[in-house]
């Protein structure tokens, strides 16, 4: 939506005088009329965050086809259709359709869940409008999405800034901009640009702007809306972050691509080998081509897209059902389980946006509750006498810690904080004080920035310097420091002013720190126990970050400030990032660079952040995580959204991701080893026997039965230790496993060949091998599954069904249609002996594989 000329003030809203801004917006201090607001709403659209437009179903399905295994299956389906093997082509088409539908459905549910989270954000603002041009202005609550450029908005403590505003008036206004900048300290705002700002930097003065996504901490203000919807700074941040950072391939994509290309090489080698061997040894020509294609299909884990999607969708549905986590992209659940380094922003994630009192001491550094008492007197009576709507965040912390302090006094007057004034004074008197003015005594209680308070105290220069050093030392430890002083004076008989704040007696210091999130300590302990290294990336002071880490049980080590990173190349930064826990004074680009350095060092990296300043890092990480209370752009950019306020939900999501990966790996180990064994046996049999060891239709039905049974592996219960360490699909480990167990499977098949030649004869060979294959595959499912102990019902049912089909299908009418004949009783006795020996070897091999290896 294009802006009208009179509303094109957002880019330079900090420029010029207030009158010039109002003229540019065709507005005024009394606000717009309802008719003007309606016209602008129709022209500019609603004031809503322009989130990612939900993808259509055809587009979701098309995106699902980009999976490499799905592409392999499609190629095999086309080859099968070309050879008129319609049965194979139809089965492959069904598998591809089911996989794409499951994945698209899971992503659709995730988008719906994220959309529901937007309903939890505040939806009203206090606006000044006029019914018509001659009517007086009326102040009322309006939906945030109804705001338009030129509206006059009133701000009070606790309000979320609903759009980008240029301030018209401000009284003691401080705003928390942590979601935009990462700074946890509130920022002072004023209605006019700084007096010292020159022409060159007048346009960049942010002190006159309140941006959407920030929140009012203290004071009041009135501002005119200069940008809404897509034009706000907050809405423009996500596309910019996406343009700056192209998301690299994650662990899931890298793993699946590696496995896919390994199997593609096997397939490209196996099919020609079957044709060449058949032509050279047995004189078979192109009539062996359908069998060669069937061998290639037998090597492919056809159900992998379905198994992967089912396992991940089941894990995502479990997390969503508990109301804890929304997985926006199904592969992100695997990536979350693979994370071994988690980078977190401090403000809003590890801490809440409110301070708590941690220290009160006198001038000699001794703990003194009296300092808190006098600070609470100041906070209480400043609040009452200055008629502030609510105390600012620091006063709230003082009052919470000071309980009922101050109620024993009577308030006289208050001098609150204001623009350029970093202290407040409460004047009180004791009850029962004399009614005669000359006999009255007043207490002045002063609280504020240490340097301002110390300047007004009656102190020797050496003492003032010593106390200033102590205040600086407390600040370096990560505390917000307030100084408290007081004086007892005769009543002056006139209003108090700043000139009376002199010759004070220094009382002591208060130290306040950001309140840790209630579950942050437990979450960090759980992550450490599960092998995840936590690193803190923050825009705050290094002392503040280190203190928070210590309070949460995380060893901060020596914090590194971001200015040191600028001199390092990528290799040096990767080494530094590996051994550093806390990075402070980070800009958004510093955070993203650290994340990329960790990934370059071979670590699977997640990032947990909630603000606009975290967007680049969220996009650069293997998996980006955002809490529910994060700004809209952060939630839109994240792969995983924590719908619960409980940070331990992240650890539970990691464990669920690892268990889903364990089920996927279990399927791959079972199907690849079994398929490889069958392919080796087919090659050997094709060279040794004067006939095909199994007809293409029989191979297809066998694969279909085995694939259908393996769907149950998505519902397996992995071993208790499956969630203890980071889990990732490793192509090399799978290749070693499939080679070892595939050779063992091939040995069982070759032993079966001998039994078949001895007991069944040539005309029953295919039926006997069909039965043996399904029975060995059922055995492999039970013995090589990732879970321990009793298998869950779906797995037991699938194994039993597979065995029943293997035994009964050859003697059924379907067996006759597939050219299979009933087997003699002697075969079953000898087959039982072969299967018993195979099971024993399989159990021994699995035990050796699962035993700890020396590092």
């Amino acid at each position: 939506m294009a802006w009208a000329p009179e509303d094109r003030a957002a880019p330079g809203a900090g420029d010029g005088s207030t009158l010039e801004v109002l003229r540019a917006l065709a507005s005024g201090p009394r606000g717009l009329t309802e008719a003007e607001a309606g016209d602008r709403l129709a022209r500019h659209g609603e004031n809503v965050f322009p989130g990612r437009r939900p993808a259509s179903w055809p587009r979701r399905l098309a995106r699902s086809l980009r999976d490499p295994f799905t592409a392999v299956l499609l190629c095999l389906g086309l080859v099968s259709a070309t050879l008129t093997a319609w049965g194979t082509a139809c089965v492959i088409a069904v598998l591809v359709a089911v996989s794409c539908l499951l994945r698209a459905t899971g992503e659709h549910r995730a988008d719906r869940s994220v959309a529901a989270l937007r309903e939890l954000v505040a939806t009203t603002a206090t606006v000044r409008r006029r019914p018509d041009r001659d009517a007086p202005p009326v102040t009322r609550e309006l939906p945030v999405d109804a705001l338009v450029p030129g509206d006059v908005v009133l701000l009070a403590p606790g309000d979320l800034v609903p759009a980008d505003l240029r301030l018209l008036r401000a009284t003691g206004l401080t705003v928390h901009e942590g979601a935009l900048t990462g700074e946890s300290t509130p920022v002072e705002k004023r209605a006019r640009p700084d007096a010292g700002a020159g022409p060159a930097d007048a346009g960049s003065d942010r002190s006159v702007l309140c941006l959407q996504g920030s929140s009012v901490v203290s004071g009041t203000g009135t501002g005119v809306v200069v940008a809404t919807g897509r034009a706000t700074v907050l809405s423009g941040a996500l596309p910019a972050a996406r343009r700056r950072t192209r998301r690299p391939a994650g662990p899931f994509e890298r793993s699946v691509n590696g496995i896919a290309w390994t199997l593609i090489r096997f397939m490209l080698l196996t099919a020609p080998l079957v044709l060449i061997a058949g032509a050279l040894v047995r004189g078979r020509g192109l009539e062996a081509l359908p069998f060669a294609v069937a061998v290639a299909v037998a090597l492919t884990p056809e159900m992998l897209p379905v198994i992967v999607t089912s396992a991940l969708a089941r894990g995502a549905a479990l997390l969503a059902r508990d109301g804890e986590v929304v997985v926006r992209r199904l592969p992100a659940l695997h990536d979350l389980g693979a994370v071994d380094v988690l980078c977190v922003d401090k403000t809003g994630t590890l801490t809440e946006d409110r301070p708590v009192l941690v220290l009160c001491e006198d001038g000699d550094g001794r703990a003194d509750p009296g300092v808190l008492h006098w600070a609470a007197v100041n906070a209480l009576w400043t609040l009452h006498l200055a008629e502030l709507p609510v105390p600012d965040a620091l006063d709230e912390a003082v009052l919470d810690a000071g309980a009922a302090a101050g109620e024993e006094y009577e308030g006289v007057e208050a001098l609150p904080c204001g623009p350029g004034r970093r202290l407040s004074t409460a004047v009180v008197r004791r009850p029962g004080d004399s009614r005669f003015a000359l006999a009255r005594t007043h207490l002045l209680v002063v609280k504020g920035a240490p340097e301002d308070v110390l300047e007004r105290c009656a102190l020797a220069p050496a003492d003032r310097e010593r106390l200033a050093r102590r205040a600086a030392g407390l600040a370096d430890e990560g505390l917000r420091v307030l100084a408290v002083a007081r004086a007892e004076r005769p009543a002056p008989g006139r209003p108090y002013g700043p000139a009376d704040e002199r010759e004070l007696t220094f009382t002591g210091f208060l130290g306040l720190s950001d309140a840790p999130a209630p579950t942050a300590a437990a979450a960090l302990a759980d992550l450490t126990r599960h092998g995840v290294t936590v690193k803190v990336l923050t825009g705050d002071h290094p002392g503040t970050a280190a203190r928070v880490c210590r309070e949460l049980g995380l060893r901060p080590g020596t914090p590194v400030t971001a200015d040191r990173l600028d001199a390092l190349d990528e290799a040096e930064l990767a080494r530094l990032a590996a051994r550093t826990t806390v990075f402070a004074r980070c800009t958004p680009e510093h955070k993203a660079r650290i994340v990329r350095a960790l990934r370059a060092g071979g670590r699977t990296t997640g990032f947990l952040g909630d603000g606009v300043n975290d967007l680049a890092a969220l996009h650069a990480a293997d998996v980006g995580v955002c809490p529910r209370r994060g700004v809209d752009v952060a939630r839109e950019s994240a792969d995983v959204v924590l719908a619960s306020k409980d940070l331990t939900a992240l650890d539970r999501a990691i464990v669920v991701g690892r268990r889903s990966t364990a089920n996927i790996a279990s399927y791959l180990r079972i199907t690849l080893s079994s398929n490889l064994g069958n392919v080796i046996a087919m090659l050997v049999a094709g060279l040794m026997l004067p006939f095909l060891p199994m007809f293409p239709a029989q191979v297809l039905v066998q694969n279909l039965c085995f694939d259908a049974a393996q769907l149950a592996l998505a519902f397996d219960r992995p071993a208790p230790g499956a969630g203890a360490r980071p889990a990732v699909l490793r192509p090399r480990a799978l290749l070693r496993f499939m080679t070892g167990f595939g050779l063992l499977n091939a040995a069982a098949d070759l032993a079966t060949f001998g039994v078949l030649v001895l007991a069944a004869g040539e005309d029953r060979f295919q039926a006997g091998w069909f039965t043996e294959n399904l029975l060995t595959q059922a055995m492999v499912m039970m013995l090589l599954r990732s879970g321990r102990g009793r298998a869950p019902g779906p797995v037991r049912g699938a194994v039993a069904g597979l065995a029943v089909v293997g035994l009964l299908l050859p003697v059924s009418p379907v067996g006759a249609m597939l050219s299979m004949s009933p087997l003699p009783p002697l075969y079953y006795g000898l087959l039982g002996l072969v299967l018993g020996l195979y099971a024993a070897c399989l159990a021994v091999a699995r035990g050796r594989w699962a035993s700890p290896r020396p590092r």
Side-chain angles (χ1 to χ4, degrees):
M1 178 67 68
W3 292 92
E6 69 270 20
D7 299 328
R8 207 178 287 271
D15 298 350
S17 67
T18 301
L19 183 59
E20 290 171 338
V21 172
L22 289 173
R23 284 176 177 171
L25 291 165
S27 183
R30 297 195 303 160
L32 301 173
T33 66
E34 293 293 347
E36 291 171 335
D39 290 342
R40 296 189 185 194
L41 184 62
R43 188 163 68 249
H44 304 305
E46 293 184 336
N47 178 36
V48 295
F49 171 71
R52 288 188 299 189
R53 185 177 180 180
S56 63
W57 274 99
R59 186 174 181 182
R60 292 183 196 276
L61 293 172
R63 280 195 315 219
S64 302
L65 293 174
R66 291 184 296 185
D67 180 271
F69 274 110
T70 303
V72 170
L73 284 179
L74 286 175
C75 292
L76 287 175
L78 291 175
V79 172
S80 300
T82 303
L83 298 174
T84 66
W86 300 113
T88 303
C90 290
V91 170
I92 289 175
V94 170
L95 294 177
V96 170
V98 170
S99 174
C100 293
L101 186 61
L102 285 173
R103 180 168 295 184
T105 301
E107 292 181 356
H108 173 69
R109 289 175 178 170
D111 283 346
R112 282 196 311 177
S113 298
V114 172
L117 294 178
R118 298 192 186 105
E119 303 300 324
L120 302 176
V121 181
T123 56
T124 62
T126 305
V127 180
R128 183 184 295 159
R129 281 187 182 174
R130 294 171 289 161
D132 53 59
R133 188 167 296 277
D134 298 324
V138 177
T139 301
R140 60 193 181 94
E141 294 289 317
L142 284 179
V144 166
D145 55 17
L147 294 183
V148 296
D151 263 327
V152 175
V153 176
L154 280 62
L155 299 175
D159 286 350
L160 295 176
V161 179
D164 288 355
L165 308 178
R166 163 66 189 259
L167 289 174
L168 306 176
R169 182 189 63 80
T171 303
L173 184 65
T174 60
V175 174
H176 188 277
E177 295 182 335
L180 298 164
T181 65
E183 292 283 354
S184 61
T185 304
V187 178
E188 184 179 345
K189 298 292 182 178
R190 52 181 62 85
R192 297 185 181 87
D194 287 331
D201 57 354
S204 61
D205 186 0
R206 296 277 291 272
S207 66
V208 297
L209 298 175
C210 288
L211 300 180
Q212 184 184 39
S214 55
S215 59
V216 178
V217 177
S218 63
T220 59
T222 302
V224 61
V225 175
V226 295
T228 60
R230 292 181 179 274
T232 63
V233 171
L234 184 67
S235 296
L238 181 57
R242 287 176 176 161
R243 287 193 299 270
R244 287 195 302 268
T245 309
R246 180 184 177 187
R247 180 179 287 267
F252 178 82
E253 187 177 347
R254 294 196 299 268
S255 299
V256 170
N257 284 339
I259 297 168
W261 281 109
T262 299
L263 292 179
I264 289 172
R265 293 186 185 100
F266 268 102
M267 290 164 52
L268 293 176
L269 176 66
T270 302
L273 189 60
V274 171
L275 287 174
I276 294 171
L280 293 178
V281 179
R282 292 296 175 184
R284 302 186 187 110
L286 290 178
E287 66 270 16
L289 184 58
F291 178 71
V293 173
V295 171
V297 172
L299 185 61
T300 305
E302 299 98 332
M303 294 300 292
L304 182 61
V306 181
I307 292 286
V308 167
T309 306
S310 298
L312 296 178
R314 184 169 180 265
L318 178 65
L319 293 170
R321 185 176 66 230
D322 295 338
E324 294 182 333
V325 178
V326 177
V327 179
R328 304 199 61 191
R329 195 173 51 86
L330 283 183
L333 187 58
H334 165 273
D335 295 348
L336 198 60
V339 162
D340 55 7
V341 172
L342 179 68
C343 299
V344 300
D345 179 40
K346 179 186 73 66
T347 306
T349 51
L350 296 182
T351 63
E352 297 182 328
D353 294 334
R354 64 179 183 86
V356 292
L357 184 74
V358 296
L359 173 145
C360 51
E361 65 179 36
D362 62 15
D364 295 324
R366 296 187 296 264
D368 184 359
V371 180
L372 174 60
H373 168 83
W374 291 112
V377 171
N378 170 281
L380 177 68
W381 288 108
T382 300
L383 171 65
H384 288 332
L385 297 175
E387 297 182 353
L388 299 177
V390 296
D392 66 21
L394 297 180
D395 280 348
E396 276 190 327
V398 169
L399 291 173
D400 288 343
E407 294 180 359
E408 67 273 24
Y409 297 96
E410 294 178 357
V412 176
E413 197 170 341
L415 303 175
C417 296
R421 175 179 166 82
R422 300 189 300 165
L423 53 79
S424 63
T425 298
V427 182
V428 299
R429 67 184 179 191
R430 297 180 179 87
D433 202 0
S434 173
R435 294 183 179 180
F436 298 102
L438 295 177
R440 292 177 189 162
T441 301
H442 290 170
L443 288 171
L444 280 71
V445 185
V446 181
K447 169 175 64 64
E451 53 269 34
D452 291 13
V453 173
L454 291 174
E455 182 183 351
R456 291 163 172 77
C457 290
L459 293 168
D463 289 336
R464 182 176 287 109
E465 184 178 351
R466 175 179 60 83
L467 292 171
R469 286 198 304 270
R470 176 56 179 165
L474 292 174
D476 289 340
E477 293 177 13
L479 295 178
R480 302 184 198 177
V481 185
L482 296 176
V484 181
R486 65 187 192 276
E488 189 169 338
R489 304 275 172 80
R494 57 173 172 77
Y496 281 90
D500 295 301
E501 298 165 337
R502 56 182 175 78
E503 297 299 317
L504 306 174
T505 301
F506 181 76
T507 304
F509 292 121
L510 296 179
L512 299 101
S513 177
D514 289 341
T519 58
L524 292 181
D526 290 343
L527 291 169
T528 301
R529 189 173 65 255
H530 287 142
V532 179
T533 302
V534 178
K535 298 182 182 294
V536 178
L537 280 54
T538 179
D540 266 348
H541 187 284
T544 303
R547 170 176 283 274
V548 169
C549 289
R550 286 191 293 269
E551 291 176 352
L552 296 176
L554 182 66
R555 294 181 179 178
T558 302
V560 173
T561 53
D563 54 3
R564 181 180 168 187
L565 308 184
D566 297 330
L568 302 178
D569 61 27
E570 299 307 317
E572 292 170 331
L573 178 57
R575 291 192 292 271
L576 178 65
R579 64 176 185 266
T580 303
T581 299
V582 176
F583 290 89
R585 298 298 190 194
C586 289
T587 66
E589 289 304 325
H590 284 132
K591 293 181 180 182
R593 192 174 172 218
I594 293 167
V595 169
R596 288 194 293 268
L598 288 168
R599 296 189 66 196
R603 309 298 293 271
T604 303
T605 307
F607 186 86
L608 172 62
D610 68 340
V612 175
N613 60 310
D614 298 322
L615 287 178
L618 284 168
H619 201 62
D622 287 306
V623 55
V625 185
C626 178
R628 182 188 71 182
R629 61 180 176 272
V631 297
D632 285 349
V633 284
R635 289 201 304 269
E636 290 291 338
S637 184
D639 303 301
V640 177
V641 178
L642 300 182
S644 169
K645 295 181 179 180
D646 186 355
L647 278 180
T648 57
L650 177 59
D651 179 71
R652 291 192 285 274
I654 288 175
V655 171
V656 169
R658 292 176 180 178
R659 290 176 176 170
S660 298
T661 301
N663 283 343
I664 296 170
S666 176
Y667 163 76
L668 283 170
R669 287 195 297 267
I670 290 170
T671 193
L672 292 179
S673 60
S674 180
N675 289 356
L676 180 62
N678 287 341
V679 168
I680 294 173
M682 286 180 184
L683 289 173
V684 174
L687 295 175
M688 294 177 57
L689 300 175
F691 54 87
L692 290 177
M694 194 175 290
F695 296 132
Q698 295 168 348
V699 175
L700 174 63
V701 172
Q702 174 190 278
N703 288 344
L704 182 60
C705 293
F706 189 31
D707 291 339
Q710 288 180 105
L711 277 175
L713 293 174
F715 301 90
D716 197 7
R717 290 190 296 268
R725 308 301 300 172
V728 66
L729 301 174
R730 303 187 186 279
R732 290 185 179 180
L734 286 171
L735 182 60
R736 289 195 301 269
F737 187 96
M738 69 179 280
T739 302
F741 284 85
L743 291 174
L744 186 59
N745 193 352
D749 286 343
L750 294 175
T752 304
F753 291 170
V755 170
L756 286 169
V757 172
L758 176 65
E762 183 177 308
D763 58 334
R764 297 173 180 174
F765 190 95
Q766 288 91 354
W769 194 18
F770 182 91
T771 297
E772 183 267 349
N773 262 333
L774 291 190
L775 292 178
T776 55
Q777 287 169 346
M779 189 178 300
V780 166
M781 280 188 63
M782 286 299 293
L783 294 179
L784 296 187
R785 50 181 280 268
S786 62
R788 297 291 188 271
R790 183 179 175 84
V795 175
R796 294 199 308 272
V799 168
L802 195 61
V804 168
V805 170
L807 291 170
L808 298 183
L809 191 142
V811 300
S812 70
V814 177
M817 295 171 58
L818 294 172
S819 304
M820 289 191 285
S821 305
L823 295 161
L826 176 61
Y827 168 75
Y828 292 105
L830 294 176
L831 179 61
L833 179 61
V834 172
L835 292 178
L837 291 173
Y838 177 59
C841 294
L842 203 61
V844 171
R846 173 177 173 164
R848 292 177 62 85
W849 181 271
S851 61
R853 291 174 172 79
R855 293 179 179 270

